[in-house]
Each structure stands twice: as C-alpha cells, then as structure tokens.
Amino acid sequence: MSAEPLHAVIVGGGVTGLAAAFRLQRRLADQGVAPRLALLESEPQLGGKIRTSTRDGFLIEHGPDSFVASKPCAYQLVRDLGLEDDLVRNHTGQAFIARGDRLYPIPAGTMMGIPVRLGPLLGSPLLSPAGKLRVVRDLFAHGRDIDGDQPAGDFFRKRLGKQIVDRLIEPLLSGIYAGDVNQYSLQALFPQIHQLSRNQRSLIRAMNSLYGHPKPPPAGQSRGQFLTFRTGLQALTARLEERLTACAIHKGSSARAIRPQGGHYRVELGDGRSLDAHAIVLAVPDAAAAALLPAARHAISPLLPTPPTSVANVVMAFPQGITGTSLDGTGFVVPRGSGHAITACTWAHLKWPHVAPRGAALLRCYIGGAHDAQLVDASDATIVDAVMADLRRITALRETPAFCQVTRWKQAMPQYAVGHLDRLEQTRKAMATAFPGVFLAGASYGGVGLPDCIRQGEQAARDLADHLEQRNLLESREALHVD
C-alpha cells in the first residue's frame, strides 16, 4: 500500500475494465499527469468472456466471436490500438429458422425478425396467411402505446401478432440475449424503436424510417455486419493489456471489500493486502459490485430483479468437412418449445473462413438460456450427444467431429427486465451520493455486446477523470484558503 493513494483502481479485467484503464491512462498522460492505476482480475488471465484458442489448425472462440461494425466505439478503440489492419469482416449468407426438423430462410427485409419491408415476409412460408394478414394490419394501426416501459414480447405481439413473435422475433432475440422475450425491457433493448413507435402509429413504418433508407449493395458485393481479428478476438484484449504500461495489473487477485477511508477508498484484496485509491471503476456484474460495497446494496441489488441466465457453447471440428443438408448460409436459430436442445448454430467456417483449414468445417452450437439452463450443468458428453442429435435431425449431419469443446458461462447473461433504465438511473444517482468517485460499468448495466461494454468502460474513465479534476480543484482552493 503506497503512502499516496492511486488515482484509480479498476475492478474487473474484462473488455469493460480494460477499456476503462486504457482510456484513463491516456487521458491522465495527456494532462501531463503520471498515471497511478491498478487493475484487479480474479481470473489468471484478462479478457473476461473473450477467450481464443487454437487446435489442429482450427481457431476456436470460447465466448463472443466478433463485434458489430456499425457501433463506432469498438472500431475507434481498434484504430487507437493499431489493430485496424488485422480486422476481417464476416462472409454473408442466408440465415435460417428451425421449425420442427426443417430449416426456413429468415426473410430479407427484417431486422431481428421485425419487418422493415413487407414483400419478403409475405412470400415466406414461415407464417400462415392469417399470420401475414395480422402483420399487415400494423400499417393501418390507430392505437397509441402506453407511456413508459413494457415487455418487448407484449409490444411486438400487440403490433404484429403472436405468430411472427413466436416463430421469428423470439428465437432471434433469445439467440442474442438468452432470455425470455416476455420479460425483456423494450426501452433498454430497443430505445429507438420505443421512441419512434410513440411518434408513428405503424411499427413497420417506424422500422423503415430507421433501417429502410440505405440502398442495398450491388450483387456480389454485400458486406458483413461483424468484425473480428485474423488471430481471434483475444487479439483485442491482449493488445489492451500490452498498452497498459502505467497500470499495475494484478491477475488472480480478487477484491474482497471496498471501504471509505478518510477522503479516499481502501480496496481490500482476497490475499490480505489492500490498495488505496481516490476513485474506482467496478467493471463487474451487479451482484459482485453489491457484495464489494455492502452499504450500497440498497442501490445496486434491485437493478436486475431477474437472475442472469446460464449458457454454453459447443464447438465441433470436422477436418474432412461435412455433408447432409446443403445450405449456403451462416447458421440457424431455434424457437423455444421446439423440443430441441440447441438454441442456435453457426457454420463458423462459412461465416469466418479463416477459422478452419481449407475443406474443413467448424460448427458453433449454443444451449441454455432462460428456458433450458439445466442442460448447461450436464456433463460434456451429455451436452455433445444432445447437440449432435439435434444436428442430425435438423441438418441431416452424418459425420462425427474430430473433437468438441464445451465452454460454460454460468449466470453470465444479464436480463434487462421492464423498468431497467429507470432502476439504472436511480442506482447511479444513489451511488454518486453515497460513494462519489465509484463508477459502475459493464454488461449488467448498459448493454451486453462488446461495443456497449467498451462504450461503458470509456464513459466510466471520462467520469472518473472528471471526478479527479474536480477533486484536485477543490483541494487547490482549500489549500489557497488555508494559506
């Protein structure tokens, strides 16, 4: 423990904490201040859910495999780290919905299953004539949505009907958030749609105003919406760690408690040591943050009333490729209640050709979520058998994988229940009053994707730097007054 408190301690070494540390280090240095920072990570390696490995020529992502290209903060961070030339964009192709044991193309002109253009949807066999007619009725809607938040499932059913929600919207959203569409906060997940739908009676017209204007690229020139690195997503976190030259990184070191200590904070570590700091970023799940600050549990604990869900991904490698259903696509999602164990499958070797040797195949399948979390606790062999049985039924897969890799993420997917944004605002206000200089960031709060986590980490760094400036200004004024 140093005599002079550190500028900041960042608790959590996932991409949120790493982005916060990187931006804070840079801002302090730009101000001519020698940064004194520490980052704590309870695991033996940094990166959180970002984890890449290689085996027999295959590149395996154990967590997320990419980030969306349209959100600028992630791309800007990549540029600032000098990694822009290492980026690769996904190959595009048809995505599918599993119904029974058949795959149906997801209609073009939809965004997460929500219609932007009606033509392709009306020609799809996914909906019955009655289901399509119910969607069309949205164009002539005259009702007004209730003010405030509401369940996303209720909102989409009211606007578009039950059939499109159950067969298209729900499986796509559950594939991203691993939760229950009937519990999702519309404001938290779709703030633009929520706002526009209040100004326009038709949801389809509102979606068209958001996403319908860009012209489609010429044939053969479609561009993927996702980015990753040739050597895997872990290249991002590895470079961040490399650039944290003014930050003491403590791997395998967990924070046990945080206590106010005469104008600053003392972070007690699990090994009995402690660190003093003027400010803190808690880049950890809300439950972990509440445990570190017992006095703040009244502010943090109610933030996520629905417990996080557990998921697992199963990577399967086929060195000689695969046969069965011949599809030029990127993968499929599965509606709940289908009787299948898997919730989604990606043909990774078609979406990202660099992840497998030429002629080989690499599949990524997903299980778990709000409706079938029990399977995540089963043995690897049980999970693999369940996934293979589904693949043989749905895609007529005949080959046996050379190896499989099961990665479990227990209670890893936060669920933004109705009222999330209001609870988040109340939490931040309560924290600013009770614990000035302690900032929350990460998937529990403002978005689960990599760009959202990076954005939150960087915002926490700005807020923390502003706090330090105000603190220094106040101390300078007090010193002048004393003199």
Side-chain angles (χ1 to χ4, degrees), residues 16 280-282 296 298-300 303 416 420-447 452-453 455-457 459-460 463:
T16 305
I280 295 171
V281 174
L282 292 179
H298 68 283
I300 302 175
L303 183 60
Y416 299 160
H420 178 77
L421 295 186
D422 289 340
R423 289 190 297 273
L424 180 58
E425 182 180 4
Q426 294 169 6
T427 294
R428 296 199 188 282
K429 288 180 178 178
M431 289 292 294
T433 300
F435 297 93
V438 178
F439 302 95
L440 303 171
S444 290
Y445 311 106
D452 291 319
C453 288
R455 171 183 50 79
Q456 293 179 74
Q459 183 62 55
D463 292 341

Side-chain angles (χ1 to χ4, degrees), residues 112-460:
M112 289 176 288
I114 308 164
V116 178
R117 293 182 288 115
L118 272 178
L121 181 68
L122 296 180
S124 169
L126 270 173
L127 302 185
S128 70
K132 295 173 184 176
L133 181 61
R134 177 62 183 86
V135 173
V136 172
R137 281 174 51 191
D138 170 76
L139 294 174
F140 308 98
H142 297 288
R144 175 178 172 81
D145 286 319
I146 61 172
D147 291 330
D149 204 1
Q150 59 183 299
D154 290 355
F155 172 81
F156 291 126
R157 286 191 184 91
K158 181 171 62 176
R159 288 304 193 98
L160 303 170
K162 181 177 185 296
Q163 195 173 105
I164 190 174
V165 173
D166 293 346
R167 297 185 183 183
L168 191 58
I169 296 175
E170 186 276 335
L172 287 167
L173 294 185
S174 295
I176 298 171
Y177 299 105
D180 184 348
V181 69
N182 300 305
Q183 303 296 324
Y184 295 147
S185 160
L186 181 69
Q187 281 185 341
L189 266 61
F190 303 104
Q192 289 179 296
I193 291 176
H194 176 266
Q195 185 59 41
L196 273 177
S197 67
R198 297 177 62 189
N199 300 330
Q200 300 188 42
R201 292 192 177 111
S202 166
L203 174 60
I204 296 173
R205 296 185 197 280
M207 290 294 292
N208 187 266
S209 68
L210 272 178
Y211 303 108
H213 297 301
K215 295 181 179 179
Q221 298 182 27
S222 60
R223 286 167 57 82
Q225 300 178 32
F226 299 94
L227 294 166
T228 190
F229 301 93
R230 291 186 179 87
T231 57
L233 207 54
Q234 197 167 311
L236 174 63
T237 53
R239 180 61 63 87
L240 280 165
E241 180 179 2
E242 177 186 309
R243 292 294 178 87
L244 291 179
T245 55
C247 180
I249 297 174
H250 303 266
K251 300 178 188 178
S253 184
S254 59
R256 186 180 64 188
I258 297 171
R259 307 185 191 281
Q261 189 76 18
H264 57 268
Y265 295 97
R266 178 159 294 169
V267 183
E268 298 175 359
L269 308 184
D271 60 7
R273 295 179 300 149
S274 63
L275 296 170
D276 286 359
H278 292 302
I280 295 171
V281 174
L282 292 179
V284 294
D286 66 309
L292 289 172
L293 283 167
R297 287 181 181 174
H298 68 283
I300 302 175
S301 292
L303 183 60
L304 294 177
T306 303
T309 61
S310 298
V311 296
N313 66 56
V314 184
V315 177
M316 299 179 164
F318 301 83
Q320 305 306 315
I322 54 175
T323 56
T325 302
S326 177
L327 295 169
D328 179 19
T330 55
F332 61 90
V333 295
V334 183
R336 70 185 177 110
S338 65
H340 297 299
I342 58 177
T343 59
C345 174
T346 300
W347 293 298
H349 60 291
L350 298 179
K351 186 176 181 181
W352 306 102
H354 68 283
V355 303
R358 184 181 297 274
L362 188 70
L363 305 186
R364 277 170 53 99
C365 298
Y366 305 85
I367 65 164
H371 302 289
D372 194 14
Q374 297 86 351
L375 185 58
V376 177
D377 293 322
S379 67
D380 285 7
T382 299
I383 291 174
V384 170
D385 287 346
V387 169
M388 285 298 297
D390 283 348
L391 291 175
R392 295 193 192 286
R393 288 171 57 190
I394 298 171
T395 70
L397 178 71
R398 294 192 292 268
E399 289 74 18
T400 298
F403 68 84
C404 301
Q405 177 69 55
V406 178
T407 305
R408 295 169 180 81
W409 297 105
K410 301 298 289 296
Q411 296 182 324
M413 298 297 293
Q415 303 298 297
Y416 299 160
V418 173
H420 178 77
L421 295 186
D422 289 340
R423 289 190 297 273
L424 180 58
E425 182 180 4
Q426 294 169 6
T427 294
R428 296 199 188 282
K429 288 180 178 178
M431 289 292 294
T433 300
F435 297 93
V438 178
F439 302 95
L440 303 171
S444 290
Y445 311 106
V448 299
L450 260 64
D452 291 319
C453 288
I454 290 169
R455 171 183 50 79
Q456 293 179 74
E458 294 181 337
Q459 183 62 55

Side-chain angles (χ1 to χ4, degrees), residues 55-93:
R55 179 173 174 180
D56 300 338
F58 291 91
L59 185 69
I60 301 167
E61 297 286 8
H62 301 265
D65 67 352
S66 60
F67 60 91
V68 65
S70 59
K71 294 188 176 182
C73 57
Y75 188 76
Q76 185 59 52
L77 178 61
V78 169
R79 292 187 62 183
D80 291 346
L81 291 168
L83 290 172
E84 187 177 7
D85 291 342
D86 295 332
L87 287 172
V88 291
R89 192 178 289 265
N90 68 294
H91 284 205
T92 59

Side-chain angles (χ1 to χ4, degrees), residues 3-18:
E4 173 65 20
L6 300 168
H7 288 118
V9 170
I10 297 93
V11 182
V15 72
T16 305
L18 289 168

